[in-house]
């Protein structure tokens, strides 16, 4: 199967597959949302079925919960788990300081709650998600439906005094109707082009009445696993100052990781 993937899907697959090495039996694991996180859930499901891995998963969206149950992972709520050993999730953008933009899939609120309720968060992504400065990807901001147009105006006024290159805001749509999150809220997508001070922007946005949460993840990520289309996968542990690289060989018989360097 893996040999038939496109380069971008290979990159996502190897990042997800490599990240499963951080998961141990008995763990309570936060399961992210998005295309790369879906690969992770499928890989973990395979380990549950074929290797006897025993984990409980806390999904960050209803679609992740459905996929997890489908592949055989026991699913519980965060209230039941209370605290997690590990969360593994994707990112829409990440910079060299481990700052992230998340929420392209509409699950940023649950993703941030689950990630911060974990001993460790690992981000998995294809190498194209790494940027020098955040902002090319629209920043999602979750807002309550009541008065959302007023909230949108307040956000636009606030952006005038901040270090961003663009200030266009759009209500995310689902066909002809506003997109609705799992929590019943709407999402404003902020087309900022460049975010000069992500920490400041995150703090200021969350002070605006009507804003529930924003898609900037600051000081939350502990490790990054970056996949490449040629099968290489890089693991960065920022706290330990370690970088390692492996390669996944897409062979018809016996796909295995081959250590390249430490």
């Amino acid at each position: 199967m893996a040999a038939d993937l496109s380069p971008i899907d290979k990159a996502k697959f190897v990042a997800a597959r490599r990240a499963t090495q951080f998961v141990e039996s008995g763990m309570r694991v936060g399961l992210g949302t998005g295309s790369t996180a879906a690969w992770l859930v499928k890989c973990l499901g395979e380990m549950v079925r074929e290797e006897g891995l025993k984990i409980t998963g806390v999904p960050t969206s209803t679609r992740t919960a459905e996929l997890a149950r489908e592949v055989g992972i026991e699913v519980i709520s965060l209230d039941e788990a209370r605290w997690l050993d590990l969360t593994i999730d994707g990112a829409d953008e990440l910079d060299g300081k481990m700052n992230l933009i998340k929420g392209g899939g509409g699950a940023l609120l649950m993703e941030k709650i689950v990630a911060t309720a974990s001993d460790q968060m690992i981000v998995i992504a294809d190498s194209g998600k790494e940027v020098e400065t955040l902002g090319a990807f629209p920043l999602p901001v979750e807002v309550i439906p009541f008065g959302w147009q007023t909230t949108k105006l307040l956000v636009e006024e606030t952006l005038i005094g901040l270090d961003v290159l663009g200030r266009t805001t759009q209500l995310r749509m689902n066909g002809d109707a506003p997109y609705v999150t799992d929590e019943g809220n709407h999402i404003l997508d902020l087309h900022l082009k460049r975010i000069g001070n992500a920490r400041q922007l995150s703090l200021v946005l969350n002070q605006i009445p009507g804003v529930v949460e924003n898609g900037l993840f600051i000081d939350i990520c502990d490790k990054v696993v970056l996949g490449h289309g040629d099968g290489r996968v890089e693991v960065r542990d920022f706290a330990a100052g370690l970088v390692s690289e492996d390669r996944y060989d897409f062979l018809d018989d016996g796909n295995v990781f081959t250590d390249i360097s430490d």
Side-chain angles (χ1 to χ4, degrees), residues 29-200:
V29 182
L31 304 174
T33 295
S35 57
T36 311
W39 278 116
L40 170 80
V41 174
K42 292 175 183 177
C43 289
L44 289 175
E46 182 180 25
M47 293 169 67
V48 168
R49 297 190 307 272
E50 299 184 5
E51 301 175 19
L53 178 70
K54 297 185 183 299
I55 60 171
T56 50
V58 175
T60 55
S61 67
T62 55
R63 57 187 179 277
T64 295
E66 291 169 359
L67 178 59
R69 293 189 181 100
E70 181 182 319
V71 299
I73 298 174
E74 179 186 356
V75 171
I76 62 174
S77 69
L78 182 58
D79 286 336
E80 291 174 294
R82 301 187 67 180
W83 195 261
L84 306 178
D85 299 289
L86 174 67
T87 287
I88 306 176
D89 203 348
D92 297 303
E93 276 189 348
L94 62 98
D95 67 15
K97 298 179 180 178
M98 293 190 300
N99 297 320
L100 317 170
I101 286 182
K102 290 179 52 57
L108 67 97
L109 178 57
M110 290 179 68
E111 288 174 333
K112 189 173 281 191
I113 293 172
V114 169
T116 54
S118 305
D119 287 337
Q120 184 176 198
M121 182 196 184
I122 297 176
V123 166
I124 53 176
D126 62 89
S127 57
K129 300 296 176 62
E130 186 174 22
V131 297
E132 184 175 344
T133 304
L134 298 178
F137 190 91
L139 174 65
V141 176
E142 188 159 341
V143 300
I144 65 170
F146 176 80
W148 72 263
Q149 294 189 59
T150 299
T151 304
K152 181 174 180 290
L153 288 173
L154 290 171
V155 168
E156 291 170 346
E157 290 179 1
T158 300
L159 291 175
I160 294 174
L162 297 175
D163 185 8
V164 295
L165 189 59
R167 297 184 180 88
T168 301
T169 66
Q170 294 179 321
L171 178 69
R172 186 177 298 185
M173 303 295 290
N174 182 16
D176 295 329
Y179 177 87
V180 179
T181 69
D182 283 353
E183 294 75 38
N185 297 317
H186 296 332
I187 288 182
L188 300 177
D189 286 313
L190 279 52
H191 297 261
L192 307 176
K193 299 181 181 179
R194 180 189 61 79
I195 299 172
N197 189 330
R199 186 183 303 276
Q200 178 192 47

Side-chain angles (χ1 to χ4, degrees), residues 12-21 40 43 46 248 255 257:
K12 294 177 180 180
F13 173 77
V14 296
R17 190 62 175 268
R18 179 63 177 83
T20 63
Q21 296 185 18
L40 170 80
C43 289
E46 182 180 25
Y248 195 89
N255 295 334
F257 275 107

Side-chain angles (χ1 to χ4, degrees), residues 249-260:
D249 293 320
F250 294 94
L251 305 174
D252 292 333
D253 52 343
N255 295 334
V256 293
F257 275 107
T258 303
D259 182 51
I260 294 177

